[in-house]
Amino acid sequence: ELKVEQNPLFLSMQEGKNYTIYCNYSTTSDRLYWYRQDPGKSLESLFVLLSNGAVKQEGRLMASLDTKARLSTLHITAAVHDLSATYFCAGAFGNEKLTFGTGTRLTIIP
Amino acid sequence: KAGVTQTPRYLIKTRGQQVTLSCSPISGHRSVSWYQQTPGQGLQFLFEYFSETQRNKGNFPGRFSGRQFSNSRSEMNVSTLELGDSALYLCASRRLAGGREAQYFGPGTRLLVL
């Protein structure tokens, strides 16, 4: 059974700094997703990563996938306050069931 | 293009009651999945429907059931509610089952069981 672990669980960082959220998964996953959730809100899709070495970027966020290491990263560049949210990674293998990580609560401090 | 809609948005029930939640997927999306989100257990998969057939089921008791209609709208039902069923229930849709695109989530139904 696929298990997904994220770290850190909590991240407090200053505006303008860079940081990375890590997502490890236990078995083969043929899709890796990143979602964002604001307090009291639903999940917003950020990235879908399908193959080894895939890299996707949107604004200050960049996600990558290393299927051999079973690792995905979400890199935040020059953080700004409106990136404060909880970020989830999720894996899926062969069907529509997404297995989510615990989430990383990111707080950007001015 | 309208997003995934869920009704009701908020619900308060008492133990032992039953509840039905509704989800309308994005137009053209045929796969609908349901997830439960709680502070303790995080996001957990409930079940997934495609073309009115349940294709996958998570590890939830039989009190949790669902169905999908011919127009792809889906409902989930929880019978004999327990306090631990208090959660945010999220519905997600995708155009095709097995497609390599994201699942798009609705706003959720927040259920409180007293």
Side-chain angles (χ1 to χ4, degrees):
Chain A
E1 184 180 327
L2 178 63
K3 292 190 190 318
V4 178
E5 290 185 356
Q6 264 181 261
N7 66 82
L9 295 183
F10 299 94
L11 178 55
S12 182
M13 52 191 291
Q14 286 188 313
E15 279 190 329
K17 300 289 188 185
N18 304 333
Y19 209 79
T20 301
I21 299 170
Y22 298 89
C23 175
N24 291 89
Y25 52 96
S26 60
T27 63
T28 303
S29 173
D30 60 10
R31 286 162 280 155
L32 197 293
Y33 302 87
W34 285 95
Y35 285 90
R36 167 182 171 149
Q37 186 176 39
D38 291 295
K41 305 286 187 181
S42 187
L43 296 167
E44 174 191 353
S45 174
L46 295 174
F47 301 108
V48 180
L49 303 169
L50 301 176
S51 59
N52 187 43
V55 177
K56 291 198 174 179
Q57 183 162 6
E58 181 73 35
R60 299 174 189 274
L61 300 177
M62 182 174 73
S64 66
L65 179 62
D66 181 344
T67 57
K68 291 177 183 171
R70 295 179 183 162
L71 170 69
S72 180
T73 60
L74 180 67
H75 187 74
I76 302 147
T77 302
V80 293
H81 179 70
D82 63 6
L83 289 179
S84 295
T86 299
Y87 292 85
F88 292 93
C89 65
F93 180 67
N95 57 42
E96 305 306 303
K97 172 186 174 180
L98 295 184
T99 299
F100 282 87
T102 49
T104 296
R105 185 177 294 182
L106 174 65
T107 304
I108 309 296
I109 303 166
Chain B
K1 198 174 192 179
V4 179
T5 58
Q6 291 185 246
T7 56
R9 293 292 310 279
Y10 304 92
L11 208 46
I12 299 175
K13 292 285 188 179
T14 56
R15 278 180 300 174
Q17 287 186 309
Q18 75 166 24
V19 67
T20 299
L21 312 182
S22 181
C23 170
S24 292
I26 293 171
S27 178
H29 285 199
R30 296 167 62 191
S31 169
V32 174
S33 298
W34 289 88
Y35 294 83
Q36 181 197 64
Q37 186 176 27
T38 60
Q41 299 298 317
L43 281 151
Q44 294 186 288
F45 173 79
L46 280 156
F47 26 67
E48 180 252 339
Y49 288 87
F50 180 77
S51 292
E52 302 178 65
T53 301
Q54 186 181 91
R55 289 165 54 96
N56 296 288
K57 191 175 190 306
N59 297 323
F60 279 82
R63 300 185 296 107
F64 291 81
S65 62
R67 59 179 175 168
Q68 186 180 34
F69 301 95
S70 58
N71 61 357
S72 295
R73 190 176 70 84
S74 178
E75 289 181 345
M76 68 164 278
N77 184 275
V78 188
S79 62
T80 320
L81 284 165
E82 300 177 0
L83 295 180
D85 297 333
S86 295
L88 179 65
Y89 290 89
L90 293 163
C91 162
S93 76
R94 184 190 305 203
R95 193 161 48 90
L96 297 171
R100 298 198 147 189
E101 57 192 37
Q103 292 186 18
Y104 295 92
F105 283 81
T109 294
R110 193 166 293 278
L111 172 64
L112 176 62
V113 182
L114 301 175

